[in-house]
Amino acid sequence: MAEFDETNKKITIKLVYYGPAMSGKTSNLMRLHDMLAPDLKGEIMTLETQNDRTLFFDLLPLGFRTPSGWLIKLKLYTVPGQVVHDATRKAVLSRADGVVFVADSQQSQGVNNSEAFQNLEENVSRVGLDFETLPLVVQFNKRDLPNILTESEIKTRWAAAPWPLVLASALDGTGIKETFIQLLQAVYPILNQQVALDDVHGMDMPAFISAVVGD
């Protein structure tokens, strides 16, 4: 549930990019940071190991004010994909308001994708969230590489999944903002139910998304 601070008139929303190691979670945030309006975003914070892999998490803060004068802050995190960092993944996932699962499109990464998605489902339950109602978007990244699953193969394999699927390439920016907008569209109805964004704060879904992405 979003953090609601009535004293300071602030609502904080936590969004998490989850997925296997090296699937492009950090690249998603860095590319998104490039695409968003400068007056909306803070500096992206990244902690890396010597091998350029995320050790703890990345954080991209965004913020804007509603017509009612409240500050809405969005905090975007990534989790480390390596198996040994499961405790960190759970800590970052705790109290998340929405998740992007970043899968690797390469044919060789099917097992890693499956294991990471299963880990996401398990950790969502462990931190007290409901996997059935958690806003979730599945992104297949690295569409610029050779030996990737075709769009048809992905859609067939995920035909029964209820979540939006987005094909992306963090390298050239394809699908990055679209993924984020899909997540915002999934998050908004729940947020609106929690804090009456439309009725009290004067922000319907189009206005909310426009305020976040700066279009």
Side-chain angles (χ1 to χ4, degrees):
M1 182 176 179
E3 183 180 330
F4 187 75
D5 182 351
E6 190 163 6
T7 301
N8 296 304
K9 296 186 175 182
K10 183 171 69 176
I11 299 168
T12 304
I13 303 165
K14 183 178 185 180
L15 305 175
V16 178
Y17 281 63
Y18 207 99
M22 304 295 287
S23 63
K25 302 177 291 297
T26 298
S27 298
N28 258 267
L29 254 62
M30 295 181 74
R31 181 62 68 180
L32 188 61
H33 184 265
D34 293 340
M35 293 176 171
L36 297 177
D39 58 334
L40 296 175
K41 62 192 180 187
E43 292 297 320
I44 188 168
M45 291 173 274
T46 301
L47 298 174
E48 297 176 339
T49 66
Q50 292 181 342
N51 295 322
D52 290 339
R53 292 187 176 187
T54 303
L55 179 58
F56 294 112
F57 57 80
D58 310 303
L59 170 64
L60 171 57
L62 306 170
F64 63 92
R65 289 199 178 275
T66 67
S68 62
W70 281 57
L71 174 64
I72 293 188
K73 292 187 68 177
L74 294 95
K75 294 183 177 179
L76 280 62
Y77 293 86
T78 69
V79 300
Q82 293 89 341
V83 175
V84 296
H85 294 307
D86 195 48
T88 304
R89 281 195 294 277
K90 282 186 286 190
V92 175
L93 192 60
S94 178
R95 299 182 62 83
D97 296 296
V99 173
V100 172
F101 180 79
V102 182
D104 191 322
S105 293
Q106 295 178 92
Q107 294 180 12
S108 61
Q109 297 302 308
V111 172
N112 289 337
N113 289 334
S114 296
E115 290 179 348
F117 194 82
Q118 182 177 352
N119 177 258
L120 168 63
E121 185 172 4
E122 292 170 352
N123 280 345
V124 163
S125 176
R126 288 169 181 154
V127 300
L129 299 173
D130 184 353
F131 192 71
E132 298 299 321
T133 59
L134 179 69
L136 175 65
V137 175
V138 177
Q139 179 199 86
F140 272 81
N141 189 29
K142 301 190 176 183
R143 303 303 297 169
D144 51 289
L145 294 182
N147 301 318
I148 58 175
L149 295 170
T150 67
E151 182 175 351
S152 176
E153 288 173 326
I154 292 172
K155 288 183 175 179
T156 298
R157 293 183 185 187
W158 288 77
W163 312 287
L165 286 173
V166 182
L167 304 181
S169 170
L171 185 66
D172 61 22
T174 302
I176 300 305
K177 185 182 280 190
E178 289 81 358
T179 299
F180 188 47
I181 290 174
Q182 288 273 10
L183 182 62
L184 295 175
Q185 289 174 339
V187 167
Y188 180 87
I190 297 175
L191 186 64
N192 189 41
Q193 188 175 32
Q194 293 173 346
V195 300
L197 267 183
D198 194 357
D199 291 341
V200 175
H201 300 289
M203 300 209 79
D204 59 13
M205 183 186 289
F208 173 74
I209 294 173
S210 178
V212 176
V213 301
D215 291 338

